[in-house]
Amino acid sequence: MRTPRLSRQVELLTRLYDMKQKQLLHASQQGDSLRYRVLEAEARAISDAMKLQR
């Protein structure tokens, strides 16, 4: 069973990941490959953190 603190952390990470995905979409539409790669790395780090929380 998850603790309330852990649930809040997962919720926060999920929101951060969703926001990062929106930023990725925007960067891909602008053709800014460096920005896209940075955002992609950040999204991957958030995803990895979410996996560790589960």
Side-chain angles (χ1 to χ4, degrees), residues 3-54:
T3 65
R5 181 174 178 220
L6 185 58
S7 293
R8 285 192 304 268
Q9 287 175 346
V10 171
E11 182 181 322
L12 176 61
L13 288 170
T14 301
R15 284 188 292 164
L16 287 171
Y17 185 78
D18 290 344
M19 289 171 37
K20 196 60 61 181
Q21 290 299 315
K22 289 177 186 176
Q23 291 174 330
L24 271 168
L25 178 61
H26 187 68
S28 71
Q29 292 170 343
Q30 291 184 330
D32 188 346
S33 66
L34 177 59
R35 182 169 183 248
Y36 183 86
R37 288 183 303 202
V38 170
L39 291 168
E40 186 177 41
E42 291 174 348
R44 192 175 317 115
I46 295 167
S47 176
D48 290 347
M50 287 170 42
K51 290 175 186 173
L52 289 174
Q53 297 295 323
R54 293 183 181 166

